[in-house]
Amino acid sequence: SLGDRRAELGRCGSQMHALSPLAVLDRGYAVVKSGEAIIRDAAQVEVGDRLQIRLARGEISAKVEK
């Protein structure tokens, strides 16, 4: 029925929102980049490297100290 299809569409929309990158940032996570590379491991950076940190609202520049 049309009601069932609307309910399913609503569930799919909610699922898509929960998995969106911006929703993940809203939960307190961040995306850290060095140049164009996304940092997933501390071994990818060295002391003195500059990092760009993307938050849910805004960005921060940082420098690796240790």
Side-chain angles (χ1 to χ4, degrees), residues 1-13:
S1 79
L2 184 56
D4 291 340
R5 288 183 179 184
R6 284 185 177 158
E8 179 64 20
L9 182 59
R11 282 190 293 276
C12 288

Side-chain angles (χ1 to χ4, degrees), residues 12-24 27:
C12 288
S14 294
Q15 219 172 15
M16 285 179 60
H17 174 72
L19 296 174
S20 82
L22 294 178
V24 173
R27 291 195 297 269

Side-chain angles (χ1 to χ4, degrees), residues 6-65:
R6 284 185 177 158
E8 179 64 20
L9 182 59
R11 282 190 293 276
C12 288
S14 294
Q15 219 172 15
M16 285 179 60
H17 174 72
L19 296 174
S20 82
L22 294 178
V24 173
L25 295 179
D26 251 349
R27 291 195 297 269
Y29 291 90
V31 176
V32 180
K33 293 175 75 176
S34 178
E36 292 301 312
I38 293 176
I39 304 305
R40 293 180 174 89
D41 187 325
Q44 288 179 258
V45 298
E46 297 179 2
V47 171
D49 284 355
R50 307 249 352 126
L51 305 175
Q52 299 78 44
I53 304 167
R54 171 79 161 104
L55 307 169
R57 285 173 285 289
E59 293 188 17
I60 299 170
S61 293
K63 184 176 176 183
V64 177
E65 292 185 354

